[in-house]
Amino acid sequence: MANSTEAQKPQNTKKNKKKGATLDTFYGAKIQNTEQTEDNIKENAPKPSKGNGNSPQTYEEFESEMTKKMEAFWEEKLEIMQKKFTHLQNQFDQTIKENQALKARIRQLEDNDRVKEQESIKQSQNTKKLEENIKYLTDKVIDLENRGRRDNLRIIGLPEKPEINTKLDMVIQDIIKENCPEILEQGGNTATDRAHRTPSTLNPQKTTPRNVIAKFQSYQTKEKILQEARKRQFRYKGMPIRVTQDLASSTLNDRKAWNMIFRKARELGLQTRISYPAKLTIYFQGKVWAFNKIEDFQLFAKKRPELCGKFDTENQRAWNT
């Protein structure tokens, strides 16, 4: 009987304890895959008793309990997976929304960029028109200023002395008598409305005398004096002076740019003159050539062997500066 009772005891008790096959231990363990779980069930399942059948737990009960445990385990795992999936789904939806928002923002920025580009083009066109209008108005003002000075003559090199500055009108009459008395003989009106130095304030650091501006009452008389001044050197009491047309300062600067070329052409025996407002006119090979820009004359000179290399651009720039 004792032997029978001992026979009814499970023979795998040590094996079960060694593997930790109790329900709590089994429930708390991490099952890596289904195949391993099934193997553990088979190994830990109690063997059917050959005795009176009063075993502590039958195989069917153990299998049922293990099935419930497995179902609970996988339900728990499924719930965790479901939560993770829901979390990932929410993140995915949020990413889609952010992506759509970024796309909308990019489209808006592109639209704004196109609008700004169109506005920039319009602004450039308006700026170009304004520059053209400013140039036109500037040229118009300069032309009006030059026309307002049409009765004036500019006398250069007249000594800076008090006895001259206080009697400029009389000095101008003396210059006419000394250099072109025929105008007086013909009964020309040489009277002047006014005469003054320019600039109005004397710069003590400047060694050259200030120019004298004389406004004549008769335009014809002024033109006759100017024509005589172009033919020969004018003098005042033996001192050389220059008499030129009075023009706006910008026009005078444009004319000054031709100085080196004008003098070099005279040295070469060419007939040259500066026409209004600042155009170089030269008589060459039986033809009259006119140039508005120095670059045009340089190109003209390079194509003529007689003039090529005679006009140095670098010296011209040094002269102008």
Side-chain angles (χ1 to χ4, degrees):
M1 203 51 192
N3 294 334
S4 176
T5 303
E6 292 177 358
Q8 290 178 1
K9 293 181 179 179
Q11 299 177 359
N12 296 330
T13 302
K14 293 183 180 181
K15 186 177 182 181
N16 291 340
K17 288 182 179 180
K18 184 179 181 180
K19 292 187 177 181
T22 61
L23 295 178
D24 294 336
T25 304
F26 182 83
Y27 178 72
K30 294 184 179 179
I31 302 175
Q32 296 181 356
N33 51 53
T34 307
E35 294 179 356
Q36 183 179 356
T37 304
E38 292 177 353
D39 293 339
N40 291 335
I41 293 173
K42 292 179 180 180
E43 292 177 0
N44 296 321
K47 304 300 180 182
S49 176
K50 296 181 181 179
N52 56 4
N54 293 327
S55 61
Q57 189 178 20
T58 63
Y59 179 80
E60 290 78 5
E61 292 174 351
F62 178 80
E63 184 177 11
S64 176
E65 186 175 356
M66 290 304 299
T67 301
K68 292 179 181 180
K69 296 293 185 180
M70 288 299 299
E71 289 177 355
F73 173 80
W74 287 114
E75 285 178 0
E76 182 181 359
K77 291 294 183 181
L78 182 61
E79 184 178 358
I80 294 173
M81 293 296 294
Q82 187 66 33
K83 289 181 180 179
K84 290 183 178 180
F85 177 78
T86 304
H87 179 68
L88 291 174
Q89 185 66 35
N90 293 335
Q91 288 184 339
F92 180 74
D93 295 340
Q94 184 66 24
T95 303
I96 291 177
K97 292 180 181 179
E98 292 177 355
N99 189 26
Q100 292 175 349
L102 289 174
K103 287 182 178 180
R105 181 60 177 167
I106 291 173
R107 285 193 297 269
Q108 182 180 3
L109 292 175
E110 290 176 349
D111 294 339
N112 293 339
D113 186 64
R114 281 192 293 269
V115 171
K116 289 181 179 180
E117 185 177 357
Q118 294 175 356
E119 291 178 353
S120 177
I121 294 173
K122 291 180 180 179
Q123 196 72 17
S124 299
Q125 294 174 349
N126 293 335
T127 302
K128 185 177 180 180
K129 290 181 181 179
L130 288 175
E131 290 176 351
E132 293 175 353
N133 291 337
I134 291 173
K135 186 179 183 305
Y136 170 78
L137 293 175
T138 302
D139 294 341
K140 192 70 174 177
V141 169
I142 293 174
D143 182 67
L144 290 173
E145 184 178 355
N146 288 329
R147 293 181 184 278
R149 296 169 180 261
R150 64 194 303 268
D151 297 332
N152 297 355
L153 284 178
R154 182 180 291 262
I155 303 173
I156 304 172
L158 197 63
E160 190 84 37
K161 296 180 180 180
E163 60 271 19
I164 294 178
N165 294 341
T166 56
K167 300 178 181 180
L168 287 175
D169 291 335
M170 297 177 62
V171 171
I172 292 171
Q173 297 301 321
D174 294 340
I175 292 173
I176 296 173
K177 291 179 183 179
E178 183 177 351
N179 295 278
C180 45
E182 63 275 7
I183 296 177
L184 296 175
E185 295 174 358
Q186 295 173 1
N189 182 11
T190 60
T192 57
D193 286 337
R194 59 184 176 273
H196 63 276
R197 293 275 187 177
T198 181
S200 58
T201 304
L202 177 63
N203 185 1
Q205 297 180 353
K206 193 172 183 180
T207 58
T208 58
R210 292 173 294 170
N211 296 343
V212 175
I213 307 298
K215 180 177 175 58
F216 287 81
Q217 294 180 354
S218 173
Y219 173 76
Q220 289 77 13
T221 301
K222 188 267 310 184
E223 282 294 312
K224 290 179 182 180
I225 297 173
L226 186 61
Q227 290 175 4
E228 294 297 327
R230 289 170 179 168
K231 294 178 183 178
R232 59 182 181 273
Q233 177 73 60
F234 270 33
R235 294 181 179 274
Y236 174 69
K237 295 182 178 181
M239 293 180 296
I241 60 173
R242 287 178 56 203
V243 177
T244 63
Q245 174 68 47
D246 181 38
L247 297 169
S249 58
S250 58
T251 305
L252 291 175
N253 291 332
D254 293 339
R255 288 192 169 200
K256 184 180 179 181
W258 291 106
N259 282 349
M260 192 279 293
I261 293 176
F262 183 84
R263 294 181 181 182
K264 188 64 179 179
R266 285 291 180 88
E267 292 176 2
L268 295 176
L270 300 175
Q271 298 180 10
T272 58
R273 62 172 296 183
I274 304 296
S275 302
Y276 180 82
K279 180 169 59 176
L280 177 68
T281 303
I282 183 171
Y283 185 79
F284 180 73
Q285 294 181 350
K287 294 182 180 180
V288 178
W289 305 83
F291 306 94
N292 292 318
K293 297 180 179 180
I294 295 178
E295 292 78 7
D296 296 338
F297 176 79
Q298 294 289 348
L299 184 61
F300 170 82
K302 287 181 180 179
K303 295 181 180 180
R304 272 70 183 176
E306 301 88 342
L307 304 178
C308 184
K310 302 293 181 62
F311 300 90
D312 191 351
T313 306
E314 297 298 329
N315 290 339
Q316 171 67 28
R317 292 177 180 175
W319 178 274
N320 293 337
T321 55

